[in-house]
Amino acid sequence: MSQKKRIAVIPGDGIGQEVIPQAVTVMQASGAAVEITNLDWGADRYLTDGVTVPPEGFAVLGREFDAILAGAFGDPRVPSNVHAKEILLGMRFKMDLYANVRPVRLLDAALCPLKGVEPKDVDFVVVRENTEGVYTDAGGVFKQGTPDEIAVQEDINTRKGVERVIRFAFEYCERHTKVDGSPRKRVLMSDKSNAMTHAGGLWLRVFKEVAREYPQIKAEHMFVDALCVQMVRDPWQFDVIVTNNLFGDIITDLAAGLQGGLGMAASGNIHPGKTSMFEPVHGSAPAIAGKDIANPFGAILTAAMMLAHLGLTVEAAKIEVAVLEAVRQKKLTKDIGGSLGTKEAGEWVAKRVGR
Ligand code: NAD
Ligand code: IPM
Ligand code: MN
């Protein structure tokens, strides 16, 4: 039997089709023992044959692959966004990938729009609940198109869902160090329990209960609006943040800004013990797609995160070091102050990794 890790690669739409091939090239240059299978799920396929996810698609992913590397989903030719919903949210929900882990790391002070902020000041992780909240899209409209129209969008929070993601955050805190090797020590739960009292109340109660099981970890709480200002004033104060699906989505775009923009941010959609899915935080960026200008580093760092998750930590570290070196030597795309194209930047990292 092959010892290689079986990776399903789904580049998807727009710049996903440009950055993911670079991530794959870099992964192969790292010497990681992986076997790649490309899947054509995305807008092109949907517009051709109407298929978003082929029959048994998620079961096959779960059974036949060790991990999934995905690009982005969203295409102006599909205004309903139905394919993105079925593919991306489908993987998250139907494969029950309940923890969306989004590390926030500044590689170089030059990438941060804030004054005087150094890499040591920005090294935290957002753990975003990934299977419920408003993303379940429960609700409906009534009297549509009339002055009396009503739109209801429910926020679903289950005891099980809240508890498992909070516990995941504490476990993550316990098992992961910061980039400088120092231990992680604090988990902060962020919500809007002063206004959304029902859901917030559940999150607060569960957070307190779970925190008791981890007396060595400091448990903290912050309202999500206050967290936004703190993130740009004093990002050094954050360690592990756990929050719901919607707040997690929003604050990780804000946090991407600290790292140099969406082109730099990586993420993993994880259910411990199950086939998990890794994707850059950014979307398909239709306006810059097909121009060879998208930043491939978020996708490349995502591939490194996936390898580390699969136990290929040496290869993952090699890739991270090479990206850091690219940043130091200004081998960058223009969104972060360089002049290289997507391919040139990816190939530079691949070469460096292969040395
Ligand atoms: P986006 O992330 O695609 O782009 C936001 C901005 O960031 C744009 O100005 C874009 O040019 C820039 N940007 C993003 N990634 C970049 C990169 N790698 N290099 C350089 N610049 C980059 O978000 P959006 O514009 O809100 O959404 C576009 C489409 O993507 C929509 O259909 C949306 O639903 C979808 N989307 C998908 C995902 C996903 O699949 N995970 C995530 C976010 C958005
Ligand atoms: C993300 C994206 C998705 C989300 C969209 C495309 C549904 O913004 O992965 O951050 O909101 O989760
Ligand atoms: Mn988002």
PDB file of all heavy atoms in Angstrom, residues 163-176:
ATOM      1  N   GLU A 163     -20.158  23.723  22.089  1.00  0.00           N
ATOM      2  CA  GLU A 163     -19.230  23.071  23.017  1.00  0.00           C
ATOM      3  C   GLU A 163     -18.015  22.501  22.283  1.00  0.00           C
ATOM      4  O   GLU A 163     -16.882  22.664  22.713  1.00  0.00           O
ATOM      5  CB  GLU A 163     -19.958  21.961  23.784  1.00  0.00           C
ATOM      6  CG  GLU A 163     -19.073  21.329  24.844  1.00  0.00           C
ATOM      7  CD  GLU A 163     -19.811  20.288  25.678  1.00  0.00           C
ATOM      8  OE1 GLU A 163     -21.047  20.393  25.853  1.00  0.00           O
ATOM      9  OE2 GLU A 163     -19.129  19.367  26.160  1.00  0.00           O
ATOM     10  N   ARG A 164     -18.265  21.852  21.141  1.00  0.00           N
ATOM     11  CA  ARG A 164     -17.126  21.188  20.496  1.00  0.00           C
ATOM     12  C   ARG A 164     -16.138  22.190  19.920  1.00  0.00           C
ATOM     13  O   ARG A 164     -14.936  21.964  19.945  1.00  0.00           O
ATOM     14  CB  ARG A 164     -17.592  20.180  19.443  1.00  0.00           C
ATOM     15  CG  ARG A 164     -18.269  20.773  18.227  1.00  0.00           C
ATOM     16  CD  ARG A 164     -18.747  19.665  17.298  1.00  0.00           C
ATOM     17  NE  ARG A 164     -19.400  20.227  16.126  1.00  0.00           N
ATOM     18  CZ  ARG A 164     -19.811  19.512  15.094  1.00  0.00           C
ATOM     19  NH1 ARG A 164     -19.660  18.204  15.084  1.00  0.00           N
ATOM     20  NH2 ARG A 164     -20.385  20.089  14.059  1.00  0.00           N
ATOM     21  N   VAL A 165     -16.635  23.342  19.439  1.00  0.00           N
ATOM     22  CA  VAL A 165     -15.677  24.292  18.867  1.00  0.00           C
ATOM     23  C   VAL A 165     -14.910  25.021  19.979  1.00  0.00           C
ATOM     24  O   VAL A 165     -13.722  25.327  19.833  1.00  0.00           O
ATOM     25  CB  VAL A 165     -16.349  25.258  17.861  1.00  0.00           C
ATOM     26  CG1 VAL A 165     -17.134  26.369  18.553  1.00  0.00           C
ATOM     27  CG2 VAL A 165     -15.307  25.846  16.931  1.00  0.00           C
ATOM     28  N   ILE A 166     -15.573  25.251  21.088  1.00  0.00           N
ATOM     29  CA  ILE A 166     -14.867  25.880  22.211  1.00  0.00           C
ATOM     30  C   ILE A 166     -13.812  24.916  22.756  1.00  0.00           C
ATOM     31  O   ILE A 166     -12.661  25.300  23.010  1.00  0.00           O
ATOM     32  CB  ILE A 166     -15.874  26.308  23.308  1.00  0.00           C
ATOM     33  CG1 ILE A 166     -16.678  27.525  22.826  1.00  0.00           C
ATOM     34  CG2 ILE A 166     -15.156  26.605  24.621  1.00  0.00           C
ATOM     35  CD1 ILE A 166     -17.788  27.967  23.761  1.00  0.00           C
ATOM     36  N   ARG A 167     -14.176  23.665  22.864  1.00  0.00           N
ATOM     37  CA  ARG A 167     -13.193  22.684  23.347  1.00  0.00           C
ATOM     38  C   ARG A 167     -12.015  22.568  22.368  1.00  0.00           C
ATOM     39  O   ARG A 167     -10.867  22.489  22.779  1.00  0.00           O
ATOM     40  CB  ARG A 167     -13.858  21.321  23.581  1.00  0.00           C
ATOM     41  CG  ARG A 167     -12.891  20.299  24.146  1.00  0.00           C
ATOM     42  CD  ARG A 167     -13.534  19.075  24.758  1.00  0.00           C
ATOM     43  NE  ARG A 167     -14.087  19.334  26.072  1.00  0.00           N
ATOM     44  CZ  ARG A 167     -15.382  19.367  26.376  1.00  0.00           C
ATOM     45  NH1 ARG A 167     -16.288  19.150  25.427  1.00  0.00           N
ATOM     46  NH2 ARG A 167     -15.784  19.616  27.597  1.00  0.00           N
ATOM     47  N   PHE A 168     -12.348  22.617  21.086  1.00  0.00           N
ATOM     48  CA  PHE A 168     -11.291  22.581  20.062  1.00  0.00           C
ATOM     49  C   PHE A 168     -10.301  23.735  20.290  1.00  0.00           C
ATOM     50  O   PHE A 168      -9.083  23.560  20.209  1.00  0.00           O
ATOM     51  CB  PHE A 168     -11.911  22.692  18.661  1.00  0.00           C
ATOM     52  CG  PHE A 168     -10.911  22.587  17.544  1.00  0.00           C
ATOM     53  CD1 PHE A 168     -10.737  21.394  16.852  1.00  0.00           C
ATOM     54  CD2 PHE A 168     -10.125  23.685  17.168  1.00  0.00           C
ATOM     55  CE1 PHE A 168      -9.801  21.299  15.819  1.00  0.00           C
ATOM     56  CE2 PHE A 168      -9.192  23.594  16.142  1.00  0.00           C
ATOM     57  CZ  PHE A 168      -9.030  22.399  15.469  1.00  0.00           C
ATOM     58  N   ALA A 169     -10.843  24.917  20.600  1.00  0.00           N
ATOM     59  CA  ALA A 169      -9.975  26.092  20.801  1.00  0.00           C
ATOM     60  C   ALA A 169      -9.050  25.882  21.997  1.00  0.00           C
ATOM     61  O   ALA A 169      -7.855  26.215  21.940  1.00  0.00           O
ATOM     62  CB  ALA A 169     -10.821  27.351  20.988  1.00  0.00           C
ATOM     63  N   PHE A 170      -9.576  25.323  23.082  1.00  0.00           N
ATOM     64  CA  PHE A 170      -8.726  25.061  24.260  1.00  0.00           C
ATOM     65  C   PHE A 170      -7.670  24.001  23.936  1.00  0.00           C
ATOM     66  O   PHE A 170      -6.508  24.131  24.312  1.00  0.00           O
ATOM     67  CB  PHE A 170      -9.579  24.645  25.463  1.00  0.00           C
ATOM     68  CG  PHE A 170     -10.181  25.823  26.182  1.00  0.00           C
ATOM     69  CD1 PHE A 170     -11.476  26.237  25.901  1.00  0.00           C
ATOM     70  CD2 PHE A 170      -9.451  26.530  27.139  1.00  0.00           C
ATOM     71  CE1 PHE A 170     -12.036  27.328  26.553  1.00  0.00           C
ATOM     72  CE2 PHE A 170     -10.005  27.626  27.802  1.00  0.00           C
ATOM     73  CZ  PHE A 170     -11.306  28.031  27.497  1.00  0.00           C
ATOM     74  N   GLU A 171      -8.089  22.956  23.246  1.00  0.00           N
ATOM     75  CA  GLU A 171      -7.128  21.907  22.856  1.00  0.00           C
ATOM     76  C   GLU A 171      -6.049  22.490  21.945  1.00  0.00           C
ATOM     77  O   GLU A 171      -4.873  22.177  22.068  1.00  0.00           O
ATOM     78  CB  GLU A 171      -7.848  20.757  22.138  1.00  0.00           C
ATOM     79  CG  GLU A 171      -8.705  19.914  23.054  1.00  0.00           C
ATOM     80  CD  GLU A 171      -7.886  19.064  24.022  1.00  0.00           C
ATOM     81  OE1 GLU A 171      -6.834  18.543  23.619  1.00  0.00           O
ATOM     82  OE2 GLU A 171      -8.306  18.944  25.192  1.00  0.00           O
ATOM     83  N   TYR A 172      -6.480  23.327  21.026  1.00  0.00           N
ATOM     84  CA  TYR A 172      -5.527  23.955  20.095  1.00  0.00           C
ATOM     85  C   TYR A 172      -4.523  24.779  20.896  1.00  0.00           C
ATOM     86  O   TYR A 172      -3.309  24.719  20.656  1.00  0.00           O
ATOM     87  CB  TYR A 172      -6.280  24.846  19.092  1.00  0.00           C
ATOM     88  CG  TYR A 172      -5.376  25.390  18.011  1.00  0.00           C
ATOM     89  CD1 TYR A 172      -5.281  24.763  16.774  1.00  0.00           C
ATOM     90  CD2 TYR A 172      -4.578  26.524  18.236  1.00  0.00           C
ATOM     91  CE1 TYR A 172      -4.437  25.250  15.792  1.00  0.00           C
ATOM     92  CE2 TYR A 172      -3.730  27.009  17.264  1.00  0.00           C
ATOM     93  CZ  TYR A 172      -3.660  26.366  16.041  1.00  0.00           C
ATOM     94  OH  TYR A 172      -2.810  26.836  15.078  1.00  0.00           O
ATOM     95  N   CYS A 173      -5.031  25.543  21.850  1.00  0.00           N
ATOM     96  CA  CYS A 173      -4.174  26.395  22.679  1.00  0.00           C
ATOM     97  C   CYS A 173      -3.142  25.546  23.416  1.00  0.00           C
ATOM     98  O   CYS A 173      -1.966  25.893  23.495  1.00  0.00           O
ATOM     99  CB  CYS A 173      -5.050  27.163  23.665  1.00  0.00           C
ATOM    100  SG  CYS A 173      -4.134  28.338  24.671  1.00  0.00           S
ATOM    101  N   GLU A 174      -3.597  24.421  23.920  1.00  0.00           N
ATOM    102  CA  GLU A 174      -2.713  23.547  24.686  1.00  0.00           C
ATOM    103  C   GLU A 174      -1.628  22.907  23.807  1.00  0.00           C
ATOM    104  O   GLU A 174      -0.502  22.715  24.246  1.00  0.00           O
ATOM    105  CB  GLU A 174      -3.562  22.452  25.321  1.00  0.00           C
ATOM    106  CG  GLU A 174      -2.874  21.741  26.444  1.00  0.00           C
ATOM    107  CD  GLU A 174      -3.908  21.081  27.344  1.00  0.00           C
ATOM    108  OE1 GLU A 174      -4.452  20.037  26.953  1.00  0.00           O
ATOM    109  OE2 GLU A 174      -4.182  21.643  28.410  1.00  0.00           O
ATOM    110  N   ARG A 175      -1.984  22.590  22.588  1.00  0.00           N
ATOM    111  CA  ARG A 175      -1.078  21.793  21.743  1.00  0.00           C
ATOM    112  C   ARG A 175      -0.220  22.584  20.779  1.00  0.00           C
ATOM    113  O   ARG A 175       0.634  21.999  20.114  1.00  0.00           O
ATOM    114  CB  ARG A 175      -1.905  20.804  20.912  1.00  0.00           C
ATOM    115  CG  ARG A 175      -2.518  19.745  21.786  1.00  0.00           C
ATOM    116  CD  ARG A 175      -3.467  18.899  20.993  1.00  0.00           C
ATOM    117  NE  ARG A 175      -4.275  18.111  21.907  1.00  0.00           N
ATOM    118  CZ  ARG A 175      -4.878  16.996  21.561  1.00  0.00           C
ATOM    119  NH1 ARG A 175      -4.760  16.546  20.341  1.00  0.00           N
ATOM    120  NH2 ARG A 175      -5.597  16.341  22.452  1.00  0.00           N
ATOM    121  N   HIS A 176      -0.493  23.864  20.619  1.00  0.00           N
ATOM    122  CA  HIS A 176       0.289  24.631  19.633  1.00  0.00           C
ATOM    123  C   HIS A 176       1.075  25.747  20.308  1.00  0.00           C
ATOM    124  O   HIS A 176       0.571  26.392  21.219  1.00  0.00           O
ATOM    125  CB  HIS A 176      -0.630  25.232  18.565  1.00  0.00           C
ATOM    126  CG  HIS A 176      -1.240  24.194  17.678  1.00  0.00           C
ATOM    127  ND1 HIS A 176      -2.305  23.426  18.065  1.00  0.00           N
ATOM    128  CD2 HIS A 176      -0.917  23.776  16.435  1.00  0.00           C
ATOM    129  CE1 HIS A 176      -2.614  22.579  17.085  1.00  0.00           C
ATOM    130  NE2 HIS A 176      -1.781  22.765  16.086  1.00  0.00           N
TER     131      HIS A 176
END
